[in-house]
Amino acid sequence: MKRFAVCTPILTFTLAALVSFGAAAQEGTLKKIKDSASITIGHRDASLPFSYYDDKQQPIGYAMDLCMKIVDALKAELKLPKLEVKYQLVTSANRIPLMANGTIDLECGSTTNNIPRQEQVWFTMTHFVTANRWVAKKSSKVKKLADLKGKTVVSTAGTTNIKQITEINAAQNLGMNIISANGHPEAFQMVETGRAVAFVMDDILLAGLAAQSRTPNDYEISADALSVEPYGIMVRKDDKAFKAVVDKAMTAIYTSGQINAIYSKWFEKPVPPKNVNLRLPMPASFKKVVATPTDSGDPKAYE
């Protein structure tokens, strides 16, 4: 049986910790894990169904299941009969720094893999393909991007989504008032309470938030897509040996067909703690990845 430990969020790091990690990074993540007989997984608290807390405050989700398959592969690769799994809560804003400085070894959530981010971290094989859209109340009658002109729009701090909508706002001179929220639930609540007309985020996350709301039928996700967003599990940059093991594990999940049951569990069936069912069959864009696994950060690779 695996041992589980819960780590509290880390906001500051001592010089000693950074120096210690510097030595570990030079030796590689595989050695770091083998020497400590432990691995630290970064997770989210409210990215349903990818990575979120259940009613016992335990991290669960689609990405978490995939990461546990990776943990099993690491146990076999390193010949470790016991590998302690530690959990570290991360946010959109701190997930990349926590990976870069060695606090976490895998980041299992809903993180977009793109070319700019690959300058700081690496990603294993894409595990979902979504699109950047917005959710609004049906009563607001926001159907097209032009309908957001002059309106207050929210997105989550530290995401590709808020960066993109800010760029679109400037390029098209829409005059939107763009505000940032500390997390997805806070951003959705701003739409619920009328403090913002729309919340710009990955459509799958918006679907989960709307489904969990008090009045799901009051909300509508835009038909217009602002971008394609491939999700990947983050690993440390320049650690080729570790990435090779993780890539091999992810590829095996796809080629063996295990991915079908894992996907269905989280996207086509009721999920805890509220038995929300997203009823989302595997999209063609992700079926393409399953058939030919890729870690590309280029949106065109998923068209």
Side-chain angles (χ1 to χ4, degrees):
M1 180 176 288
K2 301 180 182 72
R3 293 173 57 204
F4 299 96
V6 177
C7 303
T8 55
I10 298 174
L11 301 178
T12 59
F13 306 93
T14 64
L15 179 60
L18 292 174
V19 170
S20 175
F21 169 67
Q26 290 175 1
E27 295 172 341
T29 306
L30 290 176
K31 187 175 189 305
K32 175 176 179 280
I33 293 170
K34 188 172 181 62
D35 288 350
S36 65
S38 68
I39 183 170
T40 302
I41 291 178
H43 67 89
R44 305 299 298 274
D45 61 353
S47 287
L48 186 149
F50 297 92
S51 181
Y52 65 103
Y53 281 139
D54 63 12
D55 53 0
K56 297 179 181 178
Q57 293 295 291
Q58 293 296 312
I60 60 172
Y62 170 67
M64 298 300 296
D65 279 3
L66 293 175
C67 278
M68 294 315 297
K69 291 286 186 183
I70 294 171
V71 169
D72 289 340
L74 287 165
K75 287 174 66 176
E77 176 72 21
L78 298 173
K79 296 179 174 57
L80 285 173
K82 293 183 179 180
L83 179 57
E84 181 184 10
V85 177
K86 299 178 180 179
Y87 290 126
Q88 172 67 56
L89 177 63
V90 300
T91 67
S92 297
N94 71 14
R95 57 191 168 180
I96 291 178
L98 290 178
M99 174 59 69
N101 71 17
T103 300
I104 58 176
D105 301 310
L106 290 172
E107 190 268 339
C108 310
S110 51
T111 300
T112 297
N113 173 11
N114 60 30
I115 304 302
R117 280 181 173 166
Q118 289 177 8
E119 295 298 315
Q120 303 175 74
V121 293
W122 278 356
F123 295 84
T124 186
M125 304 306 180
T126 295
H127 64 270
F128 195 80
V129 183
T130 184
N132 188 14
R133 303 179 195 266
W134 67 83
V135 67
K137 287 185 176 179
K138 292 176 182 177
S139 58
S140 68
K141 298 180 180 179
V142 175
K143 301 292 184 181
K144 299 179 180 179
L145 185 62
D147 295 335
L148 292 173
K149 187 171 184 177
K151 302 289 198 306
T152 296
V153 174
V154 64
S155 191
T156 308
T159 62
T160 56
N161 312 79
I162 194 166
K163 181 176 183 291
Q164 185 179 60
I165 195 63
T166 299
E167 292 171 349
I168 290 172
N169 190 37
Q172 299 188 25
N173 195 29
L174 294 173
M176 290 184 286
N177 173 34
I178 299 172
I179 55 179
S180 65
N182 291 325
H184 305 325
E186 179 182 302
F188 189 84
Q189 188 180 52
M190 289 183 182
V191 176
E192 276 188 310
T193 57
R195 286 177 288 167
V197 170
F199 170 24
V200 178
M201 184 46 57
D202 301 337
D203 54 12
I204 183 62
L205 300 181
L206 296 176
L209 289 162
Q212 295 177 86
S213 69
R214 289 188 293 272
T215 53
N217 291 331
D218 288 356
Y219 300 93
E220 187 172 53
I221 297 172
S222 67
D224 290 352
L226 304 178
S227 68
V228 174
E229 305 282 328
Y231 285 174
I233 293 168
M234 282 197 298
V235 297
R236 261 182 290 286
K237 187 175 183 289
D238 297 327
D239 195 333
K240 294 181 180 179
F242 183 65
K243 186 179 186 308
V245 175
V246 175
D247 285 353
K248 182 179 178 182
M250 286 292 291
T251 300
I253 293 169
Y254 295 166
T255 58
S256 67
Q258 295 177 68
I259 187 62
N260 296 314
I262 297 172
Y263 183 94
S264 180
K265 172 184 174 182
W266 293 102
F267 295 96
E268 299 181 292
K269 297 177 181 178
V271 300
K274 298 181 180 179
N275 291 323
V276 172
N277 190 341
L278 296 176
R279 295 182 174 85
L280 181 68
M282 190 180 291
S285 55
F286 185 52
K287 285 182 179 179
K288 181 180 177 182
V289 174
V290 171
T292 310
T294 178
D295 63 356
S296 177
D298 183 356
K300 293 181 180 178
Y302 303 93
E303 295 176 353

